[in-house]
Amino acid sequence: MLVVAIVALLAATFMGRQSITDGADVNGLRIVKDGIVSVAVVPVSDTEVALVDAGNDKSAKAILAELSRRHLGPDAVTTILITHGHPDHTGGVAMFPKAQVVALEAEKALVEGRAGANGPLTRLFPVSPTGITVTRAVADGDKLILGPHSVRVFAVPGHTQGSAAYLVDDVLFMGDAADAKSDGTVIGSPWVFSDSQPQDRASLVALDERFTRENIRVNIIAFSHSGTLASGRAPLDAYAAGSK
Ligand SMILES: [Zn+2]
């Protein structure tokens, strides 16, 4: 009965989401679909790439296939930007031993498996060391340079306490802090997997206000479980307007 209830809950959670397009090119960055989740490959130089998240698959098959399409191996991955510590985003990290692992300081313990998540369902996940070490803990507002790309780090707590959004050039990676519905609207993170849905909503509104205040340009929004929206900041704006 419990299993039936969980399956129904999951189906209801993901119904009506936009699907992920494997191989989608977003301003020179490439979306790689790993089952239920996506990873982005950011070319840093001819021989180096960065990743946004590392997928669900511990063998990182889809990421390795994309690297080999580029005539690269796992050591070409120099940086992994972790949006948050849920296992479907950190699964492949160990396959890329040369990469620095970037996450918000507040997410370190979850990524490394020293603390658990607090969502209605995620709190049931066992807590054990993941073998991952966050080698570069970042803070809200930090800027990183990855070859020709500039990256800005934004704290969007709620889905998890240390959830990060990364703005790579003008592409905003939301992780699980938000999703896109198939009609192109933005929705917040799902209750069942989130530490605090109200905090997630507040973070999205604050992020949108900050983009206005700091005159930050967003052209494309990418979601871990629901593909990308190429209609600028408008969908996030509309979400924020509807949440006030
Ligand atoms: Zn998540």
Side-chain angles (χ1 to χ4, degrees), residues 18-217:
Q18 180 181 248
S19 55
I20 300 165
T21 305
D22 188 38
D25 180 287
V26 280
N27 281 5
L29 319 179
R30 191 174 175 99
I31 303 296
V32 173
K33 185 172 187 280
D34 173 19
I36 55 158
V37 72
S38 61
V39 171
V41 175
V42 179
V44 173
S45 72
D46 288 347
T47 55
E48 297 170 317
V49 302
L51 303 177
V52 181
D53 283 338
N56 187 41
D57 172 18
K58 284 192 182 339
S59 67
K61 218 182 307 154
I63 301 170
L64 291 171
E66 170 56 20
L67 293 176
S68 99
R69 199 184 67 86
R70 296 167 184 262
H71 309 291
L72 299 174
D75 288 354
V77 179
T78 56
T79 301
I80 305 174
L81 304 171
I82 301 287
T83 61
H84 65 293
H86 284 157
D88 52 331
H89 298 256
T90 60
V93 169
M95 294 302 292
F96 309 105
K98 293 274 164 66
Q100 61 169 344
V101 178
V102 177
L104 281 177
E105 179 68 41
E107 196 71 351
K108 242 183 112 156
L110 186 62
V111 172
E112 296 178 354
R114 292 182 284 104
N118 277 310
L121 194 60
T122 54
R123 77 176 67 218
L124 305 177
F125 295 173
V127 178
S128 64
T130 56
I132 301 169
T133 303
V134 173
T135 50
R136 186 166 177 185
V138 288
D140 178 60
D142 279 0
K143 289 182 187 169
L144 316 177
I145 298 295
L146 296 174
H149 306 285
S150 73
V151 179
R152 284 193 64 170
V153 182
F154 298 101
V156 286
H159 180 63
T160 59
Q161 284 318 296
S163 277
Y166 296 100
L167 182 66
V168 181
D169 304 328
D170 58 357
V171 183
L172 179 66
F173 290 92
M174 293 293 323
D176 286 358
D179 269 300
K181 288 194 344 190
S182 46
D183 65 3
T185 55
V186 165
I187 51 174
S189 68
W191 165 76
V192 66
F193 296 112
S194 298
D195 287 8
S196 167
Q197 216 178 26
Q199 190 185 21
D200 172 67
R201 269 69 176 143
S203 288
L204 295 178
V205 171
L207 185 66
D208 186 64
E209 286 171 352
R210 185 166 174 186
F211 289 156
T212 302
R213 200 170 55 240
E214 299 182 22
N215 198 18
I216 293 169
R217 208 168 64 121

